[in-house]
Amino acid sequence: MIRRIFLLILGVLGLVAEANRCHAGEPDPAAGYDHLINTTYLPPYFDQETFDNVWRIWPEPLRSQAEKATPDERRQMAFDRYGLTGRPEDPTRPLQYVVDLKGNWTLNCFSCHGGEVDGKPLPGLPNNRFDFAGITDDIRLTKALLGKKMVTTDYSSLVFPMGENKGTTNAVNFGVALISLRDADLNFVPGASFPRMLHHDMEPPPWWHFSQKDNIYIDGFAPKGHRALLQFTMVRANGPKSFREREDDFRDIYAYLSSLEAPKYSGKIDQQKAAAGQIVFNQHCSECHGTYGDNASYPQRMIPIDEIKTDRARLDSLSPEHRQVYGQSWFNEYGEKKGLIADPGGYVAPPLDGVWATAPYFHNGSVPTLWHVLHPEQRPKIWRWAGKSYDHQQMGISVKQLAEVPGGLHAIDKREVFDTSRFGKSSAGHDFPRELSEEEKDAVLEYLKTL
């Protein structure tokens, strides 16, 4: 009798649980954020002890400064060194990593898509300070010092370019490499090898643009969908079953990305000048970048590479065959999801809401401020970060222009120097502002603060 009552209770609880699942059938943006910061979709990379001791392999005088610092001060020094930020709701915990109860650290999507502007962490903002190569190298050395077990990621930067500048990564080729080892169902293919790849660096886009697009990426080749967001979890530990089991999580994450709105400019705005800038913008820029305010529109316009003339490494890095491999896979519903563009021929002009916060500019992060975007002939050939403070005058990151790349820099410091003469790093192109007078450029710059 007791057993029958117990089974009845379990049955009722099961029905309640099922009802709750049905009731909660709509994707939940709040749950999506929670998944990103608390759910591990990749294997752990290192543990808390390793992170707490990473300062021991830093170069002097940084190591001595860290030795004298408190644990909290050392943590902040490490955050600054690798481009990590605290979470808005808890500054002591990294936004860019899931840290579980055992102290294991696992990379999450905010490593690239969660940054800081004007001293405030902002989920969805491109992380212009993240040094993927730097933290990978330093963690590997720290594990060796502590006698810790290495994992696959520890060797990644030894065999695969991670990113030559802070804030940029070789993300496109991460995707090419990962999917090249699998079939359309995402099973591993015995004997499969990486194809020839054109390595280059990309700056991530802001996530609050996600809701305005039908296709994603700067070349707009891939139809948007929750499955597409699972691409970068294609490590060996994850098989086809894990992707399918996580679809509901990624529906929530899709909803979270779709819910994000651009941040409001944090400084003062000359409204009269901005109004004049809106007129100039609508006459010269809106055809590609859209309109804002009442009756806003975004055309998702593809600009041919010979017209935009920005660095073409990103366009050339994906062949039509690369794009079709993705397009015929489970990620794109085996080709049933329409809209794939195998040979885009150019780049999609992005929307500009929140553009004030997203420096540096262009898809490769080669232009440090909006002022330089509007003054093509004065873009610096070589520039270096001059601190984390926001440049409210030129609208972007604070930089120092250099005549040459300094010698003798530590690898991490060298990644703060952007040399536009290197492959994939060009700041040329988007010359359209040459048509504007200085007064018009100044007005447009003020108007961009309002978006």
Side-chain angles (χ1 to χ4, degrees):
M1 181 68 178
I2 294 175
R3 182 174 180 272
R4 292 172 65 183
I5 294 173
F6 180 65
L7 291 174
L8 179 62
I9 292 172
L10 286 180
V12 171
L13 289 176
L15 290 173
V16 171
E18 183 63 31
N20 285 337
R21 282 194 292 271
C22 292
H23 179 69
E26 289 297 318
D28 182 358
Y33 177 72
D34 187 73
H35 295 324
L36 289 171
I37 61 172
N38 290 319
T39 305
T40 55
Y41 298 109
L42 301 171
Y45 177 15
F46 54 88
D47 60 19
Q48 189 66 51
E49 182 184 14
T50 303
F51 188 77
D52 289 343
N53 284 278
V54 71
W55 64 271
R56 296 182 185 277
I57 56 87
W58 290 349
E60 293 290 359
L62 194 62
R63 182 167 66 244
S64 294
Q65 294 171 8
E67 186 174 15
K68 298 173 184 177
T70 67
D72 285 346
E73 289 170 339
R74 280 199 293 267
R75 179 186 63 83
Q76 189 57 53
M77 291 173 71
F79 273 32
D80 290 342
R81 181 170 174 81
Y82 305 120
L84 309 183
T85 70
R87 300 176 182 180
E89 68 277 8
D90 185 356
T92 66
R93 303 184 68 192
L95 176 64
Q96 293 78 17
Y97 284 82
V98 177
V99 184
D100 66 19
L101 295 177
K102 295 181 180 180
N104 294 312
W105 286 49
T106 303
L107 198 71
N108 68 26
C109 298
F110 286 123
S111 57
C112 293
H113 294 279
E116 179 180 288
V117 62
D118 231 5
K120 297 179 181 179
L122 185 61
L125 175 73
N127 188 354
N128 58 21
R129 296 288 298 170
F130 184 52
D131 190 345
F132 199 5
I135 194 169
T136 301
D137 291 344
D138 283 4
I139 289 295
R140 181 176 61 250
L141 292 173
T142 307
K143 285 184 176 181
L145 179 69
L146 300 177
K148 299 253 183 193
K149 182 181 179 180
M150 300 287 178
V151 298
T152 303
T153 314
D154 292 312
Y155 303 105
S156 298
S157 61
L158 296 176
V159 297
F160 202 98
M162 310 293 278
E164 292 186 357
N165 283 101
K166 290 187 176 182
T168 65
T169 65
N170 189 20
V172 172
N173 283 318
F174 297 164
V176 171
L178 292 171
I179 203 169
S180 68
L181 305 179
R182 299 176 185 252
D183 62 19
D185 289 320
L186 306 183
N187 297 297
F188 280 102
V189 177
S193 59
F194 295 155
R196 186 174 182 178
M197 288 177 276
L198 191 67
H199 294 298
H200 65 290
D201 291 342
M202 280 284 297
E203 184 190 31
W207 269 352
W208 56 80
H209 289 167
F210 187 76
S211 64
Q212 301 177 56
K213 299 180 177 181
D214 295 323
N215 280 29
I216 53 177
Y217 306 128
I218 187 66
D219 61 359
F221 91 90
K224 190 169 66 173
H226 69 277
R227 289 185 179 182
L229 304 178
L230 277 154
Q231 287 180 77
F232 292 97
T233 67
M234 281 190 291
V235 296
R236 184 164 290 276
N238 294 332
K241 182 180 178 182
S242 67
F243 299 125
R244 287 154 177 79
E245 289 175 343
R246 292 167 175 173
E247 277 202 81
D248 281 345
D249 282 11
F250 277 77
R251 288 186 178 95
D252 290 336
I253 292 171
Y254 183 102
Y256 169 69
L257 268 60
S258 301
S259 73
L260 292 176
E261 296 181 354
K264 293 183 178 180
Y265 177 61
S266 56
K268 296 181 179 179
I269 300 175
D270 183 331
Q271 295 295 344
Q272 184 174 356
K273 184 186 292 186
Q278 182 177 15
I279 295 173
V280 178
F281 181 92
N282 287 342
Q283 290 174 340
H284 295 271
C285 313
S286 62
E287 181 180 356
C288 296
H289 292 291
T291 58
Y292 302 84
D294 295 336
N295 301 315
S297 65
Y298 172 55
Q300 305 186 68
R301 183 179 173 193
M302 178 80 70
I303 314 299
I305 190 64
D306 292 336
E307 181 179 344
I308 189 66
K309 298 179 181 178
T310 50
D311 194 292
R312 64 176 298 140
R314 166 63 179 82
L315 181 66
D316 295 338
S317 65
L318 284 179
S319 67
E321 291 74 24
H322 285 147
R323 296 185 179 93
Q324 287 288 12
V325 166
Y326 167 84
Q328 297 302 315
S329 74
W330 178 85
F331 291 124
N332 196 50
E333 301 177 14
Y334 304 104
E336 291 298 317
K337 198 170 187 64
K338 304 302 181 184
L340 183 108
I341 305 173
D343 191 7
Y347 298 133
V348 178
L352 298 182
D353 45 320
V355 68
W356 70 272
T358 61
Y361 298 98
F362 290 5
H363 64 272
N364 59 4
S366 60
V367 182
T369 73
L370 285 172
W371 187 91
H372 289 109
V373 172
L374 291 170
H375 293 80
E377 67 285 349
Q378 297 188 55
R379 294 170 190 161
K381 303 299 182 184
I382 303 174
W383 53 268
R384 182 176 188 172
W385 283 76
K388 294 169 61 179
S389 61
Y390 185 82
D391 184 344
H392 285 274
Q393 182 176 356
Q394 294 195 328
M395 302 292 292
I397 59 177
S398 299
V399 300
K400 179 180 180 180
Q401 297 192 37
L402 304 174
E404 59 183 6
V405 177
L409 292 178
H410 187 277
I412 282 185
D413 296 324
K414 191 173 182 178
R415 282 191 287 274
E416 290 207 351
V417 179
F418 202 106
D419 182 357
T420 63
S421 69
R422 294 178 65 90
F423 177 77
K425 302 286 187 180
S426 174
S427 62
H430 194 274
D431 295 327
F432 313 117
R434 294 183 191 276
E435 301 176 4
L436 306 180
S437 68
E438 281 302 311
E439 183 179 5
E440 288 173 326
K441 292 177 185 178
D442 192 40
V444 168
L445 190 64
E446 197 72 16
Y447 172 62
L448 293 177
K449 298 177 183 179
T450 71
L451 305 185

